[in-house]
Amino acid sequence: MRMPARGTTALLTLALAASLAGTAGIAGAESSRHGDQADHGKNGKIKNVIYLLGDGMGRTHVTAARTRYYGADGHLVMESLPAVGQVSTYAVQQGSGQPGSSDFAPNYVTDSASAATAWSSGVKTYNAALGVDAKGNVVPTLMEYAKQAGLRTGNVSTAEITDATPAGQMSHVLLRGCQGPTYSASACQNPTLTGGALPTSDVRVTPVADQIARNGTADVILGGGLSRFDAADESALEAQGYDVLGSPATQTVATKTDLAGTSAPKVFGLFNKGNLTIEKYKRENPSSVQAQEPTVADMTAKAISLLSSGKKGFYLQVEGALIDKRSHANDAAQTLEEIKAFDEAVRVARDFARRDGHTLVIVTADHECAGFNIIEKGTFTNAEATTPPANTDGGNTANNSTPSRPSGGAKDPVRSTGPVNGSGAGDPKNFAPATFRTADDPAGVVDGSPDASLWLTYLSGNHTGADVPVFAYGPGSDELEGSIDNTDLFDIVGGALGLTD
Amino acid sequence: MRSILLALALALVAGAGVACSDRSGTDDSGTRPVAAVDPLTAAKTSFPGLEPARPGDLPLGLDTASPAPGTVAVVPGPFDDRFVLRGVRLADGVVSGRLTVTSDVSDLLELEVVAGFYDADGRLLTTAKAVHHLDEAVASHEEGPPDETAPFRIAVPRRLLDRVASAAITVPVLVNE
Ligand SMILES: [Zn+2]
């Protein structure tokens, strides 16, 4: 299903732009790293894979964050990685066969569960399924393969660790809502698929937290979601030799100080009862409990240092989860700040890979969220117009259609009262763009003003079916170039680590 | 390629003694060459020492709560820092109220509000629950941002209507997308 790699020209252009960038942000520094990659980055034998994903991070998310923080000619770290491709993300209907089979039934917009199962287990499945195919069969995950092969394994997320993306590597459930701490028939059973309730001893209806605490699939588990775990889980973790930071039994969250203090080979640390806290809140409330949570970059650095001691190499997954969660909320300001925080984790991984020479770094997303768009400064969207343009067609067989916007249209002052991150933010009927100052703007231009140069809009509060970008560094990274499917990521990573063939 | 993997997955399921809902339409021929691992045993499907859930288990605390007549107590649960309750009351044989999730702005996937009903001496008579379950296989998203408020109504069983004097509620299940 893979298509030939291309994009070398684009890459050269990118490198050139970077080298011309001069003073803005990190761009100047990034340009030299392509040369570094050319020297040795692609040639080593692969021992380790660091797989990072921004949940809900579409191509426009990356562009918007780059523009916001580094200006038009800057780069995020992920954009400095030399191999670039794009990933199709579609899911399938419940009961569907795999692509090519007679009962194949696609669903064009995936959720995080189906997407995680695609790269973790190499199969298309239905939205909400984790570690099972679309017919409900258990499918092993790459992290389980890696564990069995004696590699060190890690799973890091800014979401609850039982949430779909991290859970996709270390659990098997019919429904992603079966997270724990308690079993619930409505959350765990899928009788339309299985023809009735499964016994509660079946892994597929066993809460994800119970599975994670007992299956030993990840040696290093860092994230949120302490509420999902209880005293029995803590005992089970300790019996397997985990250093449990904080305490599920007493619901005491771990802190970044706890994380810094451990050097155990197996570590379980959850830093919030729910999802970890957005960076903006921690920045503005430095004495809060939440400010004691590590960043995704902190967790990535620690996980690498704990995992890289093994002789056989390691497989680490890192999720920047709040990009998606803030995109659902159409909260552009915090979406962008979370992309930057995620990019700092990419920097940690890339820097390790440069030193190590045997590490493949992959940066991608599971799906796009909310139809994020950059519109021209001063313009407005169809959703803001007095009358959204009709989709008319003159019926001309030469396809010389009547323009769908026969006149310039007009902005409706009721539907668009101003930038949504400024004075109009409190109005849910306000379809206006969120505006942000960038590194290119003169001093004095502020976020949320019409003068700010970056104008961002959302299509919806839900996922979209757009392809997502993939960036890669290190030996084997050219495998990621071109157009691939999310199930191909299973083959690429499995092949790189010698787990699959 | 995928059908080969599926065949392995089926073998795995069979080996683990896990029930399989549908074995039709798959290809049993061939095996996928795997370098370092055995796909038949890689997936972790059993957990020695884990007591399987008993579906009738009561949420902790409802059995020991003893709310005063005319009141509705809220028994602590694992997710109390993720929502606010408003308008909780016991009237006309129904406990009702509204729960608003404050921790997320995404689809509410799972929610269970469990109510205990008590007699005038504070003895637990029975329990009942309100369940919100978003079936992603058939769900069509509503327009715009998800609604984080879930109203709930839990009725006292008819046979106990004249004995119920108070109630308690707790939230043991809450999952957002
Ligand atoms: Zn999402």
Side-chain angles (χ1 to χ4, degrees), chain A residues 55 112 324-325 328 367 369 463, chain B residues 177:
Chain A
D55 201 301
S112 296
D324 182 68
K325 296 190 188 298
H328 279 289
H367 51 71
C369 186
H463 301 163
Chain B
E177 195 264 317

Side-chain angles (χ1 to χ4, degrees), chain A residues 133 148 184 200 204 228 328, chain B residues 6 19 38 41 53 112 174 177:
Chain A
D133 68 18
Q148 191 179 60
S184 152
T200 55
R204 294 170 293 175
R228 304 288 174 193
H328 279 289
Chain B
L6 258 186
D38 177 6
T41 57
E112 287 189 18
L174 177 62
E177 195 264 317

Side-chain angles (χ1 to χ4, degrees), chain A residues 93-94 98-99 103 111-112 121-123 127-128 133 135-140 144-149 160 163 172 175-177 179-187 192-194 198 200-204 206 210-211 214-217 225 227-228 273-275 324-326 328-330 367 461-463 487-488 490-491 498-501, chain B residues 1-3 5-6 8-10 12-13 17-26 32-55 59 77-82 103-107 109-112 129 131-137 141-146 172-177:
Chain A
Q93 313 280 347
Q94 188 167 289
Q98 294 301 305
D103 57 350
D111 76 345
S112 296
S121 296
V123 297
N127 286 345
D133 68 18
K135 296 178 189 295
N137 302 303
V138 171
V139 281
E144 289 171 331
Y145 279 141
K147 189 70 200 163
Q148 191 179 60
E160 298 186 72
D163 198 15
H172 304 275
L175 296 174
R176 60 181 287 180
Q179 292 190 24
T182 51
Y183 165 84
S184 152
S186 67
T192 51
L193 181 66
T194 56
L198 299 177
T200 55
S201 58
D202 191 309
V203 65
R204 294 170 293 175
T206 300
D210 287 337
Q211 297 191 40
R214 288 163 184 82
N215 62 20
T217 299
S227 295
R228 304 288 174 193
K273 293 176 74 176
N275 297 319
D324 182 68
K325 296 190 188 298
R326 300 322 301 169
H328 279 289
N330 288 9
H367 51 71
N462 297 315
H463 301 163
T487 54
D488 294 328
F490 171 86
D491 299 300
L499 303 172
T500 63
D501 193 72
Chain B
M1 174 175 63
R2 301 295 166 222
S3 61
L5 192 67
L6 258 186
L8 282 177
L10 280 173
L12 166 82
V13 167
V18 176
C20 182
S21 60
D22 179 4
R23 298 186 179 212
S24 65
T26 54
R32 178 193 186 86
V34 170
V37 293
D38 177 6
L40 300 181
T41 57
K44 297 284 177 36
T45 58
S46 64
F47 310 99
L50 177 64
E51 190 102 343
R54 286 168 302 182
F79 308 112
D80 293 353
D81 55 350
R82 302 190 190 189
S103 57
D104 287 273
V105 188
S106 56
D107 284 330
L109 297 181
E110 307 292 341
L111 171 67
E112 287 189 18
K129 63 185 171 185
V131 174
H132 168 97
H133 168 69
L134 181 72
D135 188 345
E136 288 192 83
H141 289 277
E142 289 168 21
E143 308 251 328
V173 176
L174 177 62
V175 181
N176 271 77
E177 195 264 317

